[in-house]
Amino acid sequence: VYIYLVHFSELESDAALLAINTLKRDLEDPNQLIRAHALRVMSSIRVKIIVQLVVLAIKKAVTDSSPYVRKTAAHAITKVHSLDPDQKDTLIDLVDHLLNDSTTMVLGSAVAAFNELCPDNYQLIHPHFRKLCHLLADTDEWGQIHILQLFLRYGRTFFGNPDSVKDKNKEKPPKKEKKKDKEFYSDDSESSSDSESYELTTDDNMDPDHALMLKSSLPLLQSRNAGVVLSVASLHFYLGPVLEQQKIGKSLVRIMRNSREIKYLVLSSIVSMATVNPVSYTHLTLPTKRI
């Protein structure tokens, strides 16, 4: 029934409206899966006359005790916005409420909703920026991509050029990486080379939040998800020190073991980055066969 409503609600709006009362009852069900499924279906019915009912259901869901229901509410926000853009102000308030959530299951979806509704409204992000940095590694992979895209826009808006930092600390020996960072998302011996310490100067010329953002994203270069690795590479290419970009190249070569389409995207990224900063990519050896 739920699948039928989602696919044919626009053609048979009267039948869809008759199911609203059933969906509203399911929103009160003690089972979190039923509550989330009812909200998902209700927000997928593209009949503008029920938008107010859907918004009320989302308002209740964002305060639900279940993280799964709150995550579903974040996804429902973007659906309502695409159906009725006039609800944008109300939906932004709901996104702000979800950004206060400390559950990683919810946070990635909340940032995705933020990117869809108000990608340049950084006043909502300022209070939560450090929390996003600390929880980045624990978020699901697609949530990580949304957060990294947010970091890229945020960093290019508020942070300065890291290469303006003086080189006085570059002669210091690198610190050994903690074992837990080496094993993060590690799947083979080659990836251990990517977990070298990221030596960043943190004097007055570099904002502490800038350094925190770079350090928190670096372990994700060892992710199995090519989209995550490409997002981290873009972040460090635009906002990281030039001399540290060799680590980006190693990770990009590693994910070229994937499909032909991913290889094309990775090679295109390497060409673009090497055109701007060729020194950091001259050491790369591309794989000659598919593994």
Side-chain angles (χ1 to χ4, degrees):
V1 176
Y2 282 174
I3 296 175
Y4 177 84
L5 288 173
V6 170
H7 287 85
F8 297 100
S9 59
E10 290 186 86
L11 298 177
E12 302 183 21
S13 57
D14 292 338
L17 292 175
L18 291 175
I20 295 300
N21 288 332
T22 302
L23 294 174
K24 290 173 67 176
R25 285 197 300 270
D26 288 345
L27 290 172
E28 305 292 338
D29 195 275
N31 189 324
Q32 62 172 350
L33 298 179
I34 294 179
R35 296 198 304 274
H37 201 53
L39 179 61
R40 182 181 297 112
V41 173
M42 197 172 183
S43 61
S44 298
I45 297 176
R46 300 190 63 80
V47 179
K48 199 168 183 179
I49 194 173
I50 67 167
V51 166
Q52 292 297 333
L53 294 176
V54 178
V55 171
L56 290 175
I58 296 174
K59 286 182 178 179
K60 187 172 183 179
V62 296
T63 60
D64 196 278
S65 59
S66 168
Y68 184 68
V69 176
R70 300 197 300 272
K71 177 185 179 73
T72 305
H75 293 164
I77 288 174
T78 58
K79 296 177 184 178
V80 172
H81 180 257
S82 65
L83 179 62
D84 186 6
D86 294 337
Q87 300 293 328
K88 182 174 181 179
D89 292 339
T90 302
L91 297 176
I92 288 176
D93 291 337
L94 296 176
V95 170
D96 188 23
H97 183 87
L98 289 171
L99 288 172
N100 283 310
D101 205 304
S102 297
T103 307
T104 54
M105 180 186 292
V106 180
L107 205 55
S109 299
V111 173
F114 171 86
N115 289 340
E116 179 74 20
L117 264 69
C118 49
D120 298 324
N121 189 1
Y122 298 116
Q123 295 299 323
L124 299 181
I125 299 300
H126 293 322
H128 311 294
F129 179 79
R130 293 185 180 182
K131 178 182 70 176
L132 290 172
C133 291
H134 291 305
L135 296 179
L136 176 62
D138 298 323
T139 311
D140 63 90
E141 291 176 338
W142 298 112
Q144 289 171 351
I145 293 175
H146 286 295
I147 294 174
L148 289 166
Q149 290 173 348
L150 169 62
F151 281 173
L152 181 58
R153 299 195 313 274
Y154 187 94
R156 297 186 75 177
T157 303
F158 295 104
F159 298 142
N161 183 3
D163 293 315
S164 63
V165 179
K166 295 181 180 180
D167 297 333
K168 60 182 180 181
N169 293 325
K170 289 183 180 178
E171 297 179 358
K172 293 183 179 180
K175 297 179 181 178
K176 293 183 178 179
E177 191 72 24
K178 293 181 180 179
K179 186 176 181 181
K180 64 177 182 180
D181 289 334
K182 278 190 174 184
E183 295 177 351
F184 184 82
Y185 277 136
S186 179
D187 57 353
D188 53 41
S189 58
E190 281 189 12
S191 65
S192 62
S193 63
D194 294 331
S195 60
E196 300 171 0
S197 61
Y198 196 87
E199 203 57 35
L200 285 171
T201 54
T202 55
D203 58 14
D204 294 338
N205 291 320
M206 176 172 279
D207 191 289
D209 288 339
H210 189 176
L212 175 64
M213 180 185 68
L214 294 175
K215 289 179 180 179
S216 64
S217 62
L218 185 68
L220 298 184
L221 285 174
Q222 299 178 55
S223 173
R224 292 185 177 93
N225 189 304
V228 174
V229 176
L230 283 171
S231 297
V232 177
S234 297
L235 180 68
H236 285 261
F237 175 73
Y238 287 108
L239 297 172
V242 172
L243 295 179
E244 299 291 343
Q245 291 185 17
Q246 292 184 0
K247 297 167 188 173
I248 298 176
K250 294 178 183 178
S251 297
L252 291 176
V253 170
R254 177 177 62 82
I255 62 174
M256 286 183 63
R257 300 175 179 180
N258 290 290
S259 64
R260 187 179 305 174
E261 292 79 7
I262 292 178
K263 283 184 177 181
Y264 174 80
L265 291 175
V266 172
L267 283 173
S268 299
S269 299
I270 291 176
V271 169
S272 299
M273 294 176 182
T275 302
V276 177
N277 181 25
V279 177
S280 298
Y281 299 90
T282 53
H283 67 288
L284 297 182
T285 302
L286 299 179
T288 56
K289 64 179 181 179
R290 185 174 180 178
I291 298 177

